[in-house]
Amino acid sequence: MGLTGSTGIKGGFQFRYQNLIGAGRVTEEALQALQPAMDRAAAAVREIRGGGFSKAHLSKDGTPEHVYFPRQAYLAEGNPNDEESVRRLEELGAAWKDTVDAAVFIGIGGSYLGDKVVFDLAAKPYWNQLPKKERNGYPQIYFAGNNVDGTALQGLMRHLTLQAQHVGHPLHIQLVPISKSGTTMEPLTSFAALLSYMRKHPEWFVTDITAVTVLDAEASLLYRLAQENNWPAFSIPEGIGGRFCILSNPGLLMCAALGYDIRSLLEGAREMSELCLAAEGTDNPALLNAALKFLAAEKLGADIEVLMGYGDALQCLGAWYVQLLAESLGKRLDRNGKTAFYGRTPVVAVGTTDMHSMTQQHQDGKRNKVIQFLEVEKPAEALVVDNPFPQEKAFSLYAGKEMNVLLQAALTANETALTEDGRLNARYVLPELSPRYIGQLLMFLMYSIAYEGELADVDAYDQPGVEAYKRIMKAELAKAE
Ligand code: PA5
């Protein structure tokens, strides 16, 4: 089958899958047998890219709905991003630079996670504590609306107030409510609370609002408010579900707010998209990834996937992937209405941190997991471990070594230990955390989920399961005083 153990983009993203293949793992025979289904999955996803529809996918109100996630990578009129929309974002970034003190991004689920991923990957550590010059004039970034937590929200109000008092003049704040539906409880209530507080205190705050929502005043309360109040609004395009929106306005607005290179991010996404659409069978990294996980679940009972990124900045990427996997593949019914109870439980881990907590379970617990490592080869900043204790022999093991060398050694040791015990694991590798490679990775993960949806014959683009609690909650709230 031409399985070399590694595939990806030359000089870019690599998927190293050799520890998923072989006796006691996913066999080449099983993969061979799946080949016709993989070909059908590839054709179905090409159809999504071309025609914009996925088999049997309907919106919440039961009407056919586009699936445009692959189109985010291509700037063209009618696509989620075009020249004009990117230019508008870049203009917003330039306008906020040096003028906005802090931007508060207010969203939940897909309307939060993509922004937080971009923030963690693009902003330097301790961003908000850095002097403005170190931030190249870009604003501090805060998040709200990711829960209904009055204590946390008042903490943010207090923090911003103290800052204003400290500098002795009102802070220029951008509130950025992000909600596709424009009606979600968490962001709407947090937005309302923040806005009311800031309006009551003009001595501390000059407040502007930039809304991100579906541009439909009947459907989106947020958009109606934006129109009535002349707030600038950015669209969340039809065909882009929350968990897939990181490469369109909601995620790209965070790029703009940080001066991050939107065009390189999309270029990387485009490179991965082109590869997935053109490569055959196991040369398609996302299709191979999907097929291996699908078979690992079906044949070996691996119904847990741990995404373990090595480095602090990768934690939220794991949380974003948790949503992508859980909401897309966790389905009661297949697309023919048959009970499927499909899906894998996604778990976020961070290396080396969780080697001191979860690795015990990964190494010795139930054999029901794929440990998916994520490695960044070159750190943004190198740091050599100094040795203030030359007399200490034990310390010489680390002294003089670059921290990233230690990080890589830990990852390889974890991988080897799992592999020696026949435990399923694989590695995603990025040469560095540049916008282009991040674009490649994000698109790879979205395509992987799309292919697995096809293999399992479930609708990867709806989330009917979340309606059950919403119905109960709304009825209860309507009854409550
Ligand atoms: O992926 C999804 O569709 C969800 O996680 C939504 O992003 C989340 O529920 C927030 O919805 P909205 O953007 O409509 O406020």
Side-chain angles (χ1 to χ4, degrees):
M1 295 196 79
L3 293 172
T4 58
S6 180
T7 182
I9 294 180
K10 199 160 178 271
F13 168 87
Q14 294 294 313
F15 172 40
R16 298 202 186 134
Y17 56 84
Q18 67 269 27
N19 299 334
L20 292 176
I21 304 258
R25 302 186 177 120
V26 176
T27 62
E28 287 205 30
E29 294 70 38
L31 206 51
Q32 190 84 54
L34 194 68
Q35 193 62 54
M38 288 168 68
D39 292 343
R40 284 195 297 278
V45 172
R46 271 197 287 271
E47 180 54 33
I48 291 174
R49 163 72 185 108
F53 283 104
S54 163
K55 175 185 150 188
H57 172 63
L58 300 175
S59 71
K60 247 193 318 194
D61 52 26
T63 53
E65 183 178 56
H66 288 107
V67 174
Y68 282 158
F69 84 85
R71 295 190 185 194
Q72 295 177 103
Y74 302 85
L75 296 191
E77 224 183 301
N79 281 2
N81 302 307
D82 59 20
E83 266 303 326
E84 166 62 19
S85 68
V86 172
R87 201 180 40 73
R88 195 171 163 229
L89 286 163
E90 288 167 341
E91 281 171 9
L92 172 139
W96 285 13
K97 187 170 149 75
D98 298 321
T99 65
V100 174
D101 293 303
V104 187
F105 284 71
I106 309 166
I108 194 164
S111 295
Y112 157 74
L113 287 161
D115 284 292
K116 184 65 166 51
V117 168
V118 171
F119 176 74
D120 286 358
L121 297 179
K124 291 179 193 163
Y126 301 97
W127 178 259
N128 288 347
Q129 283 79 44
L130 295 175
K132 201 161 190 163
K133 207 165 138 250
E134 283 284 315
R135 289 185 267 117
N136 295 323
Y138 288 103
Q140 294 180 330
I141 302 290
Y142 296 93
F143 295 92
N146 187 31
N147 207 333
V148 267
D149 184 331
T151 309
L153 202 58
Q154 290 188 78
L156 176 59
M157 292 172 189
R158 207 171 302 121
H159 173 73
L160 291 172
T161 305
L162 287 170
Q163 269 205 64
Q165 290 171 342
H166 180 72
V167 294
H169 60 77
L171 296 180
H172 182 188
I173 304 281
Q174 275 283 349
L175 294 182
V176 189
I178 305 177
S179 173
K180 181 169 180 177
S181 60
T183 55
T184 305
M185 171 177 73
E186 293 89 340
L188 274 194
T189 51
S190 299
F191 171 54
L194 283 167
L195 185 60
S196 296
Y197 178 74
M198 289 177 179
R199 280 188 174 159
K200 276 184 204 145
H201 295 288
E203 71 281 23
W204 298 327
F205 303 110
V206 174
T207 315
D208 283 326
I209 294 147
T210 301
V212 187
T213 183
V214 65
L215 301 188
D216 174 344
E218 264 184 43
S220 167
L221 168 61
L222 183 56
Y223 186 57
R224 185 155 58 74
L225 290 171
Q227 281 194 314
E228 287 168 6
N229 294 282
N230 284 323
W231 304 330
F234 284 77
S235 74
I236 302 184
E238 191 260 331
I240 299 292
R243 56 193 178 270
F244 291 93
C245 74
I246 186 167
L247 295 174
S248 48
N249 281 334
L252 299 185
L253 205 137
M254 177 62 80
C255 296
L258 295 169
Y260 197 61
D261 189 343
I262 293 175
R263 289 172 195 271
S264 293
L265 184 75
L266 295 180
E267 185 192 338
R270 205 157 50 242
E271 287 171 331
M272 180 54 75
S273 178
E274 293 295 290
L275 175 62
C276 292
L277 295 169
E280 295 292 329
T282 54
D283 289 335
N284 175 340
L287 179 55
L288 180 61
N289 186 34
L292 289 170
K293 304 273 164 67
F294 175 77
L295 288 171
E298 192 183 56
K299 311 271 183 210
L300 305 163
D303 56 8
I304 295 178
E305 179 172 350
V306 180
L307 183 60
M308 188 162 193
Y310 271 67
D312 288 350
L314 302 175
Q315 180 160 24
C316 198
L317 187 100
W320 173 82
Y321 180 67
V322 163
Q323 188 206 17
L324 184 67
L325 197 161
E327 281 195 342
S328 302
L329 299 181
K331 298 292 150 74
R332 177 185 295 264
L333 301 177
D334 71 11
R335 292 186 293 192
N336 302 308
K338 227 173 103 216
T339 300
F341 293 131
Y342 193 72
R344 236 180 350 276
T345 301
V347 177
V348 189
V350 173
T352 64
T353 311
D354 290 313
M355 291 171 76
H356 299 263
S357 79
M358 287 192 230
T359 291
Q360 170 61 34
Q361 173 75 16
H362 302 166
Q363 187 73 40
D364 285 352
K366 270 193 188 171
R367 293 181 180 275
N368 60 350
K369 298 167 206 65
V370 174
I371 310 300
Q372 180 60 69
F373 296 114
L374 171 57
E375 172 195 6
V376 179
E377 285 179 314
K378 187 168 167 257
E381 290 185 69
L383 177 64
V384 175
V385 180
D386 213 343
N387 188 3
F389 317 108
Q391 70 283 10
E392 296 294 339
K393 251 188 142 182
F395 206 78
S396 65
L397 193 59
Y398 316 115
K401 295 200 170 77
E402 207 276 296
M403 282 237 173
N404 200 50
V405 170
L406 304 177
L407 190 72
Q408 306 294 346
L411 194 169
T412 301
N414 194 354
E415 180 185 67
T416 306
L418 291 170
T419 306
E420 283 178 354
D421 193 43
R423 304 244 168 195
L424 297 169
N425 67 88
R427 209 194 269 218
Y428 302 145
V429 184
L430 296 182
E432 60 186 358
L433 276 183
S434 70
R436 185 172 152 211
Y437 300 137
I438 291 166
Q440 292 176 359
L441 172 69
L442 295 173
M443 214 25 132
F444 166 82
L445 293 172
M446 289 192 261
Y447 268 96
S448 296
I449 293 296
Y451 288 126
E452 192 170 340
E454 295 297 331
L455 292 173
D457 201 14
V458 296
D459 185 350
Y461 311 101
D462 66 359
Q463 54 279 335
V466 299
E467 297 308 319
Y469 87 80
K470 280 187 187 168
R471 264 193 310 275
I472 298 168
M473 183 181 76
K474 281 184 184 157
E476 287 303 313
L477 285 175
K479 272 193 259 158
E481 283 288 293

